[in-house]
Amino acid sequence: MNQEQMEIKTPEYVSLQFQVAGLGSRAVAFIIDQILLNVVNILALIIVYLIIEGSSPLPFYFFEETLPIAITIIALFVINWGYFFAFEFFSGGRTIGKKLIGIRVIQENGHSITLLSSFIRNLMRIIDTLPTAYFLGIIMVFFHSKHKRLGDLVAGTIVIHERKAKRKKRLTQIEKEIASRAISKDDLIIDEWTFKAFTAKDWKLINTYTGRFTQLPLVEKNQLTRQIAEILLPKIGQDVLGKTEQELENTLLVLYLNLREEWEFDM
């Protein structure tokens, strides 16, 4: 089935969008986990075999070599079941296989999986594996609208795709210049009525200025700065006279940051 988008309303009334993991990605993650577990199982059996072969004669309490085998079977059951339970709770809903594929288990309310949810979800694997080879679990995931197996239904969990980290936006030259000066839009408080005095023409003027700011020779930049300042700064009640070029530049750059929020996507 196709992967679907799912919207979850958290208890804090926040809407979250998730992409539900389908049968394919879940199956691949499970196969990876099972390969890792099979390696552990084989190594454990080899070790037990070597211990039994090397223990001659065995003490009476080994009951003719059956006790080590019984202990090994119990230990392997705990490891194979506990692997999923422990990893999903302590690793944010991710086993090694899920982490490699980029999926994770969360609660239906959007929160991280709890200890109880992880316990119930993985305890139900015993039923999901019936009658063999995860047949019931596969059928449930394939046909359920949210790709849930029985363990997910009982535990109130869902498997989703991890959100890919967004690439950090590359700073433009003017943004680098503003960052180097350690100035921000909060350095200039503009009330609503004053803000409305600026027009699209004003935005275009200051946007062109900042676009050329880092490319102009010093003399031309100083001249342009004063010309732009004489047009725009009186609108915010600031006088150009008596201010240095550096002060005018900083004020215009802060004004640019304020106007950008209003005009950048409206042009």
Side-chain angles (χ1 to χ4, degrees):
M1 295 183 70
N2 294 330
Q3 294 165 352
E4 301 172 358
Q5 291 290 334
M6 176 183 176
E7 183 174 324
I8 294 177
K9 289 274 189 182
T10 70
E12 296 80 17
Y13 302 102
V14 177
S15 293
L16 301 174
Q17 291 284 341
F18 294 106
Q19 186 179 32
V20 181
L23 179 60
S25 54
R26 292 181 66 166
V28 174
F30 178 76
I31 290 171
I32 293 171
D33 289 325
Q34 207 57 56
I35 289 173
L36 294 172
L37 288 171
N38 285 342
V39 171
V40 174
N41 294 340
I42 292 170
L43 290 175
L45 292 173
I46 291 173
I47 291 170
V48 171
Y49 173 78
L50 293 175
I51 290 173
I52 292 174
E53 285 296 308
S55 301
S56 180
L58 289 171
F60 72 92
Y61 52 79
F62 274 89
F63 302 107
E64 297 181 353
E65 304 179 358
T66 59
L67 187 57
I69 295 173
I71 292 173
T72 302
I73 292 173
I74 295 171
L76 289 179
F77 173 79
V78 172
I79 290 171
N80 282 264
W81 178 83
Y83 167 83
F84 292 97
F85 164 67
F87 264 95
E88 287 183 359
F89 176 67
F90 292 106
S91 189
R94 310 173 191 88
T95 59
I96 295 174
K98 287 184 176 70
K99 191 170 185 179
L100 291 174
I101 298 303
I103 60 178
R104 64 182 295 199
V105 186
I106 62 171
Q107 293 183 195
E108 278 193 321
N109 60 7
H111 290 181
S112 298
I113 189 170
T114 63
L115 184 66
L116 181 60
S117 295
S118 182
F119 179 84
I120 295 172
R121 181 178 192 275
N122 288 292
L123 184 63
M124 296 303 294
R125 285 184 185 276
I126 299 170
I127 299 177
D128 278 316
T129 56
L130 297 175
T132 183
Y134 257 91
F135 179 78
L136 180 59
I138 291 171
I139 294 299
M140 287 287 297
V141 171
F142 187 80
F143 286 105
H144 195 275
S145 60
K146 296 178 182 177
H147 305 302
K148 289 189 171 198
R149 63 176 176 84
L150 186 60
D152 292 312
L153 289 172
V154 177
T157 56
I158 191 165
V159 183
I160 61 166
H161 283 273
E162 293 273 22
R163 292 177 176 177
K164 294 182 179 178
K166 292 183 178 180
R167 273 188 176 180
K168 194 174 180 181
K169 186 180 177 183
R170 197 172 177 181
L171 294 178
T172 62
Q173 289 298 319
I174 191 60
E175 287 172 335
K176 290 178 182 178
E177 179 67 27
I178 291 171
S180 69
R181 296 185 181 216
I183 56 178
S184 71
K185 71 181 188 68
D186 295 329
D187 294 337
L188 185 62
I189 305 300
I190 304 176
D191 63 69
E192 185 178 350
W193 291 107
T194 302
F195 196 82
K196 288 181 178 180
F198 290 94
T199 64
K201 185 176 179 181
D202 295 326
W203 161 247
K204 189 173 182 180
L205 181 65
I206 197 167
N207 192 36
T208 302
Y209 167 72
T210 54
R212 300 178 59 193
F213 187 85
T214 58
Q215 303 168 0
L216 290 172
L218 181 60
V219 175
E220 291 183 29
K221 184 171 70 173
N222 289 342
Q223 291 176 348
L224 184 61
T225 296
R226 286 211 167 263
Q227 291 173 2
I228 302 296
E230 287 172 355
I231 297 171
L232 298 181
L233 294 195
K235 291 191 174 187
I236 56 175
Q238 292 201 17
D239 196 356
V240 176
L241 296 175
K243 290 190 175 181
T244 65
E245 273 69 20
Q246 180 79 14
E247 290 173 332
L248 293 176
E249 288 173 4
N250 287 345
T251 304
L252 287 175
L253 292 177
V254 173
L255 180 61
Y256 161 75
L257 292 176
N258 279 272
L259 294 179
R260 185 175 65 172
E261 287 192 353
E262 177 71 18
W263 293 100
E264 186 172 31
F265 300 107
D266 292 340
M267 295 297 292

